[in-house]
């Protein structure tokens, strides 16, 4: 099949993540034939759902809602009922240079949930750009609150859509996990973008060459398949202006970003058969010394779940992607989203 | 539920992988209640299987078999019909200090399959310690052959058992992928074990404190749950003697290792409801300068597939493990494997 597609396998290193990915056309069907075998298809009955409007008493405590103090809410930010980390224990403070002593921390942190709509039947891609903007602005507001805690080093915003992507409830929601450490992927990214900056004087995300990889563009954002995409049909949405922290986003740009995210979710759903997916907001750590601001640049990563992970990936941290990024970008660029949507 | 188990969440850093893992009892059922919901349960009909004895003509070319030149073979090492990397293209050789130019390599490499038994009905855990030893010795022999290629930097041996662990054929087999790069997890491990060595003068795997984490031990090997296990019921099998390269294994120790691996697979199958699993052999890169030999130490990692990966893990590289390693080790230590097996 390699000869059919005219491509040989290739290893590419992502300059942002510093990870190698193997592109292996011999293992692929045609890029346009990729479909999810397990559509997300949420079907949990509404009367049991704690995230639906009117069921607020089934949830852990609320942090804030949008609009404030309104029973007819559009978004609620609440505590996670089963938090991975706990806000009610003391953050660890002692640090020394002993490797063994530094290998454990008490599980202090915040694990919140953002209920993205009061209605069970709507998914994120069904909302308007303005409604999606309000969700981003809720993330922003909550990050600003969490940044007041000196012990919180990083806030990971993420969404799991579909059971096989990790969602335990089908009502549209995202999560925020505020961590007392800088996680490994973030440390590696900082090291990698710093290397690029030291060598070129530029931010490597500002410098992304998007021609063949571009999906869509708006005034302030582009969506693209990254040069060394880890997963087939992985999508990044990147600000065209240099911006280290996601929570610098303003209300006007949030609507534009909401429109581009909606377009990507609609294209993914139409082209790939409503796949389960994850999205992650990658941003700059909190409380840095400022030197990192020149070479960090926030972006959104969207990963449809189309292939599994096996022993090779667990063992090496290298991924095998059967779809070349240029091919995935072309397929996604050409998806026609009906006007009525 | 945290109060029931008497445990608070904890973050632990693995000294070998240098990665943080969040242990979160609030999200767990009791450790003894963990069961696979999707047993591996291979059920592919035998008449279609290319790996069965008599179907050799359906396979890509053979590299060697055990015993040699015998139609009644026990093990076959063959080329993968859909290789991720190709042995028939030139390895990339040019290297310079330009980050962008160094971010792509032609996909040279070797992707082989080890058919572990001629019989479709047997899985790895059904084989005798002596038969499993022969499989390890086939891996060893093939690594020694691959090491003759100067461009091959690392050989990853791995096994995917069960469709959701990445196996496309149910006939028992493992895979070997010989890479022209040192993969990211291996580089990180080398950096981490070097740091420990520089600080203590010791190999951190030789130093593993196994009391609470021990599952079983034999003369030359121990099986344990690592201190910061990434996945629930993850198991490591570690030589008790310092040994950088897996391919130093001799025939006598291979039988002992086969016995301990068999015991772990039987315990996992009994306790966790025959879960899909991966195993990986972690070893020292080929062609080092020798300085790394003091602080690298091969081991086998076994990962039963019990939980999925979501946006948090993809975004951060941090994993959330609901089962404390001490609890998982106790459960696995106490599994009774029937004598007749």
């Amino acid at each position: 099949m390699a000869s059919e597609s005219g491509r040989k396998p290739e290893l590419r290193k992502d300059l942002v993540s510093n990870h190698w990915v193997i592109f292996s056309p011999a293992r692929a069907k045609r890029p346009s034939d990729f479909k999810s075998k397990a559509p997300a298809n949420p079907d949990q009955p509404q009367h049991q759902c704690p995230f639906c409007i009117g069921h607020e008493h089934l949830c852990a405590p609320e942090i804030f809602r949008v609009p404030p103090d309104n029973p007819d809410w559009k978004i609620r930010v609440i505590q996670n009922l089963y938090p991975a980390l706990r806000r009610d224990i003391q953050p660890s403070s002692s640090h020394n240079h002993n490797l063994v002593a530094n290998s454990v921390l008490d599980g202090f942190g915040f694990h919140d949930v953002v209920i993205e709509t009061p209605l069970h039947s709507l998914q994120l891609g069904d909302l308007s750009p303005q409604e999606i903007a309000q969700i981003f602005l809720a993330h922003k507001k909550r990050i600003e609150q969490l940044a007041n805690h000196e012990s919180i080093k990083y806030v990971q915003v993420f969404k799991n859509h579909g059971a096989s992507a990790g969602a335990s409830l089908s009502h549209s929601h995202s999560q925020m996990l505020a961590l007392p450490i800088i996680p490994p992927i973030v440390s590696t990214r900082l090291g990698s973008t710093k290397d690029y900056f030291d060598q070129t004087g530029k931010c490597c995300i500002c410098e992304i060459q998007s021609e063949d990889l571009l999906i869509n563009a708006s005034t302030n954002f582009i969506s693209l398949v990254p040069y060394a995409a880890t997963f087939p049909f992985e999508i990044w949405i990147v600000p065209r202006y240099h911006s280290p922290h996601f929570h610098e986003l303003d209300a006007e740009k949030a609507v534009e970003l909401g429109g581009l995210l909606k377009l990507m979710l609609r294209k993914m759903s139409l082209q790939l058969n409503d796949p389960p997916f994850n999205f992650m907001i990658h941003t700059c750590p909190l409380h840095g010394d400022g030197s990192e601001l020149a070479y960090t640049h926030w972006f959104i990563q969207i990963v449809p779940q189309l292939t599994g992970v096996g022993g090779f990936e667990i063992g090496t941290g290298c991924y095998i992607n059967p779809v070349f990024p240029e091919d995935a970008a072309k397929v996604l660029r050409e998806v026609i989203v009906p006007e009525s949507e």
Side-chain angles (χ1 to χ4, degrees), chain A residues 89-198:
Chain A
I89 58 180
Q90 278 297 310
S92 302
S93 56
S94 67
H95 272 278
N96 58 46
H97 293 288
N98 182 295
L99 287 173
V100 177
N102 275 341
S103 68
V104 61
L105 285 176
D106 291 329
F108 167 76
F110 297 84
H111 190 172
D112 301 331
V113 173
V114 179
I115 307 174
E116 297 169 336
T117 163
L119 300 179
H120 197 87
S121 57
L122 295 178
Q123 291 300 320
L124 187 58
D126 301 323
L127 303 181
S128 71
Q130 290 74 16
E131 288 168 322
I132 299 175
Q134 289 302 312
I135 298 167
F136 285 133
L137 295 173
H139 294 144
K140 168 191 164 97
K141 176 175 171 182
R142 183 60 183 146
I143 294 172
E144 286 168 344
Q145 293 175 344
L146 292 163
N148 290 325
H149 295 266
E150 196 57 43
S151 316
I152 294 300
K153 305 278 190 281
Y154 194 79
V155 181
Q156 181 64 56
V157 179
F158 63 101
K159 180 178 176 73
N160 301 336
H161 171 79
S164 66
S168 53
L169 290 169
S170 62
H171 191 122
S172 188
H173 68 286
S174 42
Q175 298 182 64
M176 302 179 69
L177 201 36
L179 299 162
I181 54 163
I182 295 179
I185 284 182
V186 180
S187 308
T188 304
R189 184 167 68 237
L190 254 70
S192 185
T193 57
K194 181 177 190 303
D195 284 349
Y196 188 93
F197 183 78
D198 288 346

Side-chain angles (χ1 to χ4, degrees), chain A residues 140 144 241-250 293 298:
Chain A
K140 168 191 164 97
E144 286 168 344
Y241 55 98
H242 185 71
S243 173
H245 285 109
F246 168 76
H247 63 274
E248 294 162 12
L249 186 71
D250 68 29
L293 298 176
W298 71 265

